[in-house]
Amino acid sequence: MSRHKNPAKAVDKVFRELGATREIARDGRSGVKGVYYRFPDGARRHVPNGVPWVAAAGFIREVRDRYAPEPPRPPISGERVGLGSVPAVDQSKIAVTDHAKQRFDEMSLGDDGISQFEIDLALICPMHVLWMEKHGTYAWVGDRIAVVGHMREGFLTIRTYLWTTDELWERNPRPEKELIA
């Protein structure tokens, strides 16, 4: 699976979903290049060209804290983990199980289809993270999906992907659940 490499696109997507308008500009005085975002309350945020993931994740967290409503608790059982306690995900140390690949294929179909971009964003800048003691896994919870996996010695093995709302589960049941019903 290819990894998404552009943190500026992640910032753009989240900022615009939260009501910002994009203004590509060059500051004539300092020569600073990048994109300016204006939010409905008049606040303005500059995102420089070539922003690294660490800074992009910080921008996204800051703006979500200010403008996003508290996300509903997903229909996933687990203990919420403080972001400072979550192991960092190294994009070069990720494996994906066959089950997770199958779930990605299933979940990428239809009107609600997920993308690799959503997976990357959930891992790099989650809305929150859950620890699931029963399975010894973490769930990095994004807007619509959760990425569930084992962390061992800095290596993440993605076990599955889950929808984060009951509504998404109802609209997108697993194929085997449809056959049983």
Side-chain angles (χ1 to χ4, degrees):
M1 248 191 319
S2 67
R3 308 308 308 162
H4 185 72
K5 302 288 185 203
N6 193 336
K9 285 186 180 180
V11 170
D12 183 76
K13 179 182 186 304
V14 172
F15 280 21
R16 291 191 304 133
E17 284 175 355
L18 295 174
T21 55
R22 183 174 42 194
E23 305 168 359
I24 300 173
R26 173 186 292 218
D27 185 334
R29 295 176 306 225
S30 65
V32 173
K33 296 179 184 176
V35 180
Y36 290 90
Y37 293 89
R38 184 169 307 280
F39 289 87
D41 64 357
R44 196 168 179 224
R45 176 58 126 150
H46 176 254
V47 177
N49 289 344
V51 64
W53 268 117
V54 170
F59 293 164
I60 291 169
R61 277 191 203 97
E62 176 186 317
V63 168
R64 276 185 177 154
D65 287 347
R66 183 171 178 175
Y67 298 107
E70 180 64 27
R73 183 135 177 119
I76 304 167
S77 59
E79 179 183 334
R80 195 168 180 158
V81 179
L83 289 178
S85 302
V86 177
V89 176
D90 181 341
Q91 294 281 321
S92 67
K93 295 181 179 179
I94 296 177
V96 182
T97 65
D98 288 340
H99 171 76
K101 289 175 186 174
Q102 180 183 3
R103 288 292 295 142
F104 177 83
D105 290 344
E106 292 167 1
M107 293 172 74
S108 62
L109 301 174
D111 293 339
D112 294 317
I114 66 170
S115 66
Q116 184 63 47
F117 179 80
E118 285 183 278
I119 294 167
D120 293 339
L121 190 56
L123 288 171
I124 293 165
C125 190
M127 297 184 88
H128 54 265
V129 178
L130 301 174
W131 168 249
M132 295 177 288
E133 182 73 35
K134 180 179 178 181
H135 303 289
T137 57
Y138 287 96
W140 286 264
V141 181
D143 293 326
R144 299 182 329 126
I145 63 162
V147 180
V148 180
H150 290 282
M151 271 307 262
R152 289 202 179 90
E153 300 175 14
F155 196 87
L156 172 63
T157 302
I158 297 174
R159 295 192 55 208
T160 194
Y161 304 104
L162 303 171
W163 296 112
T164 59
T165 67
D166 288 327
E167 179 184 340
L168 284 166
W169 277 107
E170 287 172 18
R171 289 197 322 244
N172 303 283
R174 289 183 180 164
E176 62 271 17
K177 301 257 181 189
E178 260 181 22
L179 296 174
I180 295 169

